[in-house]
Amino acid sequence: DAGVIQSPRHEVTEMGQEVTLRCKPISGHNSLFWYRQTMMRGLELLIYFNNNVPIDDSGMPEDRFSAKMPNASFSTLKIQPSEPRDSAVYFCASSFSGADGYTFGSGTRLTVV
Amino acid sequence: GQQLNQSPQSMFIQEGEDVSMNCTSSSIFNTWLWYKQEPGEGPVLLIALYKAGELTSNGRLTAQFGITRKDSFLNISASIPSDVGIYFCAGSVSGNTPLVFGKGTRLSVIA
């Protein structure tokens, strides 16, 4: 298995632009998680899905953030409009049973200038 | 919400030394996990613990699930340069709740 695949690896965008981050979870995993990592706040859970259904989006910082999972093999995290304070590394992770050890992707490093 | 306090925040050690780091919580967790993150990559699972008092090893790594269910520690014996990275503890109350992560211990190994 290729693991959790995220794209792009790096994204530099101007403030106000729309940003879309993509994730392909491991085949057969039924839970998907989006995390944001910064030096100040560490790993923060933004939203997670079980069987493609959003379960808890209380970690999404603002209405500018949205996430979708149209099918079991694809999820997106969108920021519109982006702001400099959104600069961080965004990770997607998937698992089969929820708590039994997530597999993380390599992350997307987002820089908003 | 639930928080995990991980210490120390960073460590600088000589190659060959043993390392110990721990994680505490004000509430009970039923699963504890330890992850390692290398530069430019996502965290990778090292050890998972499912029972209070459980002691589990993975090569030079040993982790324990505290009896009170509110803490866990990770030991690395005879450190080597490739042990460099950020080590995260994570806990979960049940399989239906997502993991909560500590803020990590940044380990540097001096050859």
Side-chain angles (χ1 to χ4, degrees):
Chain A
D1 198 318
V4 176
I5 299 173
Q6 289 187 247
S7 64
R9 286 297 308 268
H10 302 274
E11 176 83 32
V12 180
T13 191
E14 288 188 344
M15 182 173 65
Q17 296 296 306
E18 177 180 297
V19 174
T20 299
L21 312 181
R22 297 174 175 80
C23 176
K24 178 176 164 44
I26 289 176
S27 177
H29 280 187
N30 62 347
S31 296
L32 183 140
F33 308 83
W34 281 101
Y35 282 86
R36 178 171 69 176
Q37 185 177 37
T38 59
M39 288 290 289
M40 289 295 293
R41 301 172 72 94
L43 277 165
E44 300 175 275
L45 178 66
L46 300 177
I47 184 172
Y48 76 99
F49 297 82
N50 275 351
N51 298 314
N52 312 341
V53 175
I55 302 300
D56 185 354
D57 65 354
S58 59
M60 298 283 258
E62 298 171 32
D63 290 346
R64 298 183 296 106
F65 286 68
S66 63
K68 292 183 180 177
M69 191 163 186
N71 57 61
S73 59
F74 184 64
S75 177
T76 59
L77 177 68
K78 187 177 291 188
I79 309 172
Q80 164 66 14
S82 58
E83 296 182 4
R85 61 192 165 125
D86 301 331
S87 298
V89 181
Y90 290 81
F91 286 104
C92 173
S94 71
S95 73
F96 176 67
S97 55
D100 279 5
Y102 303 168
T103 301
F104 282 80
S106 296
T108 295
R109 180 174 294 277
L110 174 65
T111 304
V112 183
V113 298
Chain B
Q2 293 171 313
Q3 287 188 330
L4 293 181
N5 299 309
Q6 195 169 345
S7 64
Q9 284 189 322
S10 62
M11 304 178 75
F12 288 83
I13 61 167
Q14 292 279 352
E15 183 178 358
E17 287 184 356
D18 296 344
V19 174
S20 185
M21 58 191 80
N22 66 63
C23 201
T24 60
S25 169
S26 57
S27 55
I28 287 173
F29 286 95
N30 291 312
T31 300
W32 285 91
L33 304 103
W34 285 91
Y35 285 81
K36 178 188 178 187
Q37 183 180 24
E38 297 187 2
E41 297 298 329
V44 174
L45 182 65
L46 297 173
I47 292 179
L49 304 156
Y50 300 104
K51 206 163 117 175
E54 180 181 354
L55 187 72
T56 297
S57 293
N58 178 4
R60 293 178 296 106
L61 277 60
T62 301
Q64 183 157 31
F65 189 144
I67 293 288
T68 65
R69 295 179 178 265
K70 293 183 179 180
D71 61 344
S72 178
F73 72 74
L74 175 71
N75 285 345
I76 305 173
S77 62
S79 59
I80 59 178
S82 62
D83 291 333
V84 165
I86 304 175
Y87 291 79
F88 291 97
C89 62
S92 174
V93 175
S94 75
N96 295 322
T97 58
L99 290 176
V100 176
F101 281 84
K103 291 203 170 168
T105 294
R106 186 179 295 271
L107 178 65
S108 300
V109 179
I110 304 166

